[in-house]
Amino acid sequence: MDFRALLMGLAFAFMWSSAFTSARMIVVDAPPLFSLSARFLLSGLIGIAIARALGQTWRLTPAQWRATLIFGVCQNGIYLGLNFVAMQWIEASVAAIIASTLPLIVALAGFAFLGDRLKPLAVAGLVAGFGGVILIMGARLSGGLDPLGVGLCVIAAIALAIATLSLRGASSGGNVMMVVGLQMLVGAVVLIFPSLALEEITVTWTPRLILAFLYTTLVPGLAATWVWFLLVQRIGAVRGATFHFLNPFFGVAVAAALLGEGLGPVDILGVVIIMAGILAVQLSKTPAVTPARR
């Protein structure tokens, strides 16, 4: 892995993880589903405009249309929608930790339902990763952590794992930014209806809300997705996914720095264990390098 790929991976992990802190800022001053729908509308329009400027077309392959709809509903609607709602009651660091278990959930579901074989390193990683989550959540639940918020985040992570597994092999065909933009428009449509039905649309306009909204729209929403696709193109999906092991660290660190969320010894130990588990699972997928014949 070259130095440029390393920087891209670190940038992606940081941007992705920081979204939970900015989301926590947003839901303090605005309804979660309404603000998320508005964010997807803006991100989607910008993404489509960029795609058109790059010469990309609306003519997607059937697999890409399937990816657009499934990810628009499962990732943008269910996964992010439930996370935004949950962060009315739980801290951003908790949501980031639960969401970071996605590689573990995908590996476990692939083994249970799709017949994927797990190497001993992957099994050890799964046990360690989920053990770290249990360690942190057990300590925080005893300290008054809202179980409803935790439950919503768990359902959200499972929904995203289902979408990820259902879209294997659907990333070819070009028009990547167009797919990204259209996914976000699907999310905007999916979320606006429950927002209008369930939420009181009252927004408290503050500098924090405006900055957090713009940041979430442009950085985790568009820039992180773009960097991710560039990283995968450069080093492949398996090696690129290894950077997910940094998500628990970045997610907790950003929340502690910007929101002042508490970070105890048990949290630190749990985060380290989760990181090790995710790294083990991802490394188990990396194909062995065959020595060149002389």
Side-chain angles (χ1 to χ4, degrees), residues 115-156:
D116 292 350
R117 298 180 62 183
L118 294 179
K119 297 179 180 179
L121 181 61
V123 175
L126 288 173
V127 173
F130 286 119
V133 173
I134 293 172
L135 178 66
I136 294 175
M137 294 306 154
R140 294 207 177 191
L141 283 171
S142 64
L145 180 65
D146 189 287
L148 175 59
V150 173
L152 291 177
C153 288
V154 170
I155 295 173

Side-chain angles (χ1 to χ4, degrees), residues 180-192:
V180 171
L182 291 174
Q183 284 175 12
M184 293 180 180
L185 291 187
V186 171
V189 172
V190 168
L191 290 171
I192 193 60

Side-chain angles (χ1 to χ4, degrees), residues 33 36-37 40 76-78 81 186-196:
L33 298 181
L36 188 56
S37 179
F40 283 139
N76 299 338
I78 300 176
V186 171
V189 172
V190 168
L191 290 171
I192 193 60
F193 294 107
S195 171
L196 295 176

Side-chain angles (χ1 to χ4, degrees), residues 26-283:
I26 290 172
V27 301
V28 172
D29 298 315
L33 298 181
F34 180 79
S35 57
L36 188 56
S37 179
R39 170 213 152 174
F40 283 139
L41 177 61
L42 181 58
S43 295
L45 293 176
I46 294 174
I48 290 173
I50 293 174
R52 294 298 295 163
L54 293 174
Q56 298 181 13
T57 72
W58 306 90
R59 293 190 293 272
L60 307 181
T61 66
Q64 287 179 322
W65 278 118
R66 185 171 66 250
T68 298
L69 294 175
I70 292 178
F71 255 82
V73 173
C74 291
Q75 174 177 283
N76 299 338
I78 300 176
Y79 167 71
L80 287 174
L82 290 180
N83 269 294
F84 263 60
V85 171
M87 275 186 284
Q88 296 175 107
W89 310 303
I90 64 173
E91 296 179 330
S93 57
V94 173
I97 288 170
I98 296 174
S100 70
T101 62
L102 174 65
L104 303 177
I105 297 174
V106 169
L108 182 61
F111 169 74
F113 301 109
L114 299 179
D116 292 350
R117 298 180 62 183
L118 294 179
K119 297 179 180 179
L121 181 61
V123 175
L126 288 173
V127 173
F130 286 119
V133 173
I134 293 172
L135 178 66
I136 294 175
M137 294 306 154
R140 294 207 177 191
L141 283 171
S142 64
L145 180 65
D146 189 287
L148 175 59
V150 173
L152 291 177
C153 288
V154 170
I155 295 173
I158 293 173
L160 184 56
I162 292 172
T164 301
L165 288 170
S166 68
L167 295 174
R168 289 182 172 183
S171 59
S172 60
N175 295 319
V176 169
M177 185 54 72
M178 181 63 74
V179 171
V180 171
L182 291 174
Q183 284 175 12
M184 293 180 180
L185 291 187
V186 171
V189 172
V190 168
L191 290 171
I192 193 60
F193 294 107
S195 171
L196 295 176
L198 302 174
E199 295 179 330
E200 180 180 351
I201 312 301
T202 302
V203 178
T204 303
W205 293 102
T206 63
R208 176 183 61 187
L209 172 63
I210 296 172
L211 291 175
F213 182 84
L214 291 175
Y215 176 85
T216 304
T217 300
L218 299 176
V219 180
L222 285 174
T225 304
W226 183 253
V227 170
W228 168 251
F229 281 110
L230 291 177
L231 179 65
V232 169
Q233 186 179 26
R234 192 174 187 87
I235 64 174
V238 172
R239 291 183 178 178
T242 305
F243 286 98
H244 278 290
F245 91 98
L246 291 170
N247 290 333
F249 168 74
F250 282 139
V252 170
V254 173
L258 297 183
L259 299 177
E261 295 185 0
L263 189 62
V266 174
D267 297 316
I268 297 174
L269 176 61
V271 166
V272 171
I273 294 174
I274 296 169
M275 290 171 61
I278 295 173
L279 182 60
V281 169
Q282 297 298 341
L283 289 178

Side-chain angles (χ1 to χ4, degrees), residues 14-24 26 39 80 84 87 92 215-216 220-221 254:
F14 179 82
M15 289 187 289
W16 190 92
S17 303
S18 67
F20 297 94
T21 295
S22 59
R24 175 69 172 167
I26 290 172
R39 170 213 152 174
L80 287 174
F84 263 60
M87 275 186 284
Y215 176 85
T216 304
V254 173

